Amino acid sequence: MKAIIFDLDGVVVNTAKYHYLAWKKLAKELGFEFDVAHNERLKGVSRMESLNIVLEVGGITGYSEEKKNELADRKNGYYLSMIEKLDQSEILPGIPEFLEKIRKAGYKTALGSASKSGGMILEKLGLMPMFDVVVDGNLVERPKPDPEVFTKAADLLGIPYEKCIVVEDAKAGVEAAHAGRMKCIGIGNPEILGAAEKVVGSTEGLMQVDLENL
Ligand code: BG6
Ligand code: MG
């Protein structure tokens, strides 16, 4: 028994850019610029933790919990309206083919996403049947780099952690995989994701990865 656990944003679907644009819009309203380099720190991180980082970038301190909740809700509102028309064209290249290939090869598949919209997005894209288990931000308490999101997926699949491979585009996600004793394939920049057992530049590279010898 073996499994592959997928992050969602920036791995299965191109929604990482909408998270970024929604934070950028919020930052602008708060009076500062938020750029792609800052955004790297938000990848894989929960909504509230992301807000804390955004406020830190803007040098803003002292907001009450109530105010922070309002800002996080506002960002989520922007995000949800940006993804309202999300469709299959935003599924990242090669992902459906890779899912098909690994399932045929006997791997169980799971989603392991910090996003509370994770399940809803899979439904919207018609990808639900390709996943045996879906763990999203509604089911976990501790954000990546804590391994909870991945260990929960493995537990639900009934597969030992050592037999799981995680696919991630975030540094926090690579750390979470390793904290859960799982191997990891990074999607993106090797300078950022270098701790992963293998890094490919984009999802198109997944088909070429030798999964049995990571
Ligand atoms: C992660 C994204 O998958 O989910 C983060 O990489 C995002 O950018 C996080 O903040 C939480 O998502 P949501 O949809 O619950 O705000
Ligand atoms: Mg991601």
Side-chain angles (χ1 to χ4, degrees), residues 7 9 19 42-45 47 50 75 113-117:
D7 173 48
D9 299 304
H19 280 294
L42 302 192
K43 287 190 183 168
V45 175
R47 195 181 305 165
S50 297
K75 178 269 171 180
S113 168
S115 174
K116 291 197 158 72
S117 296

Side-chain angles (χ1 to χ4, degrees), residues 86-132:
L86 192 75
D87 64 20
Q88 295 189 332
S89 68
E90 305 244 32
I91 297 175
L92 287 164
I95 287 292
E97 296 80 356
F98 184 63
L99 281 164
E100 211 160 295
K101 173 182 147 169
I102 58 177
R103 288 170 67 83
K104 276 200 188 126
Y107 286 91
K108 293 279 179 196
T109 53
L111 188 82
S113 168
S115 174
K116 291 197 158 72
S117 296
M120 177 271 278
I121 289 174
L122 284 191
E123 287 283 5
K124 218 174 161 74
L125 299 174
L127 285 175
M128 213 41 129
M130 303 302 277
F131 290 87
D132 297 301

Side-chain angles (χ1 to χ4, degrees), residues 8-112:
L8 178 76
D9 299 304
V11 168
V12 171
V13 59
N14 196 15
T15 38
K17 85 166 181 234
Y18 299 117
H19 280 294
Y20 166 58
L21 291 173
W23 286 121
K24 196 175 172 64
K25 185 171 157 80
L26 183 76
K28 202 163 197 140
E29 288 168 359
L30 296 174
F32 63 94
E33 278 302 320
F34 188 81
D35 64 27
V36 279
H38 297 133
N39 187 59
E40 208 51 52
R41 292 176 63 197
L42 302 192
K43 287 190 183 168
V45 175
S46 70
R47 195 181 305 165
M48 258 312 173
E49 191 49 34
S50 297
L51 175 67
N52 288 331
I53 296 170
V54 169
L55 293 177
E56 187 191 308
V57 167
I60 296 174
T61 52
Y63 276 173
S64 65
E65 281 309 301
E66 197 188 352
K67 176 74 180 170
K68 285 203 212 172
N69 284 330
E70 186 265 304
L71 293 175
D73 286 351
R74 204 197 296 176
K75 178 269 171 180
N76 193 46
Y78 296 150
Y79 175 68
L80 292 178
S81 66
M82 286 174 189
I83 63 164
E84 209 180 310
K85 296 200 175 70
L86 192 75
D87 64 20
Q88 295 189 332
S89 68
E90 305 244 32
I91 297 175
L92 287 164
I95 287 292
E97 296 80 356
F98 184 63
L99 281 164
E100 211 160 295
K101 173 182 147 169
I102 58 177
R103 288 170 67 83
K104 276 200 188 126
Y107 286 91
K108 293 279 179 196
T109 53
L111 188 82

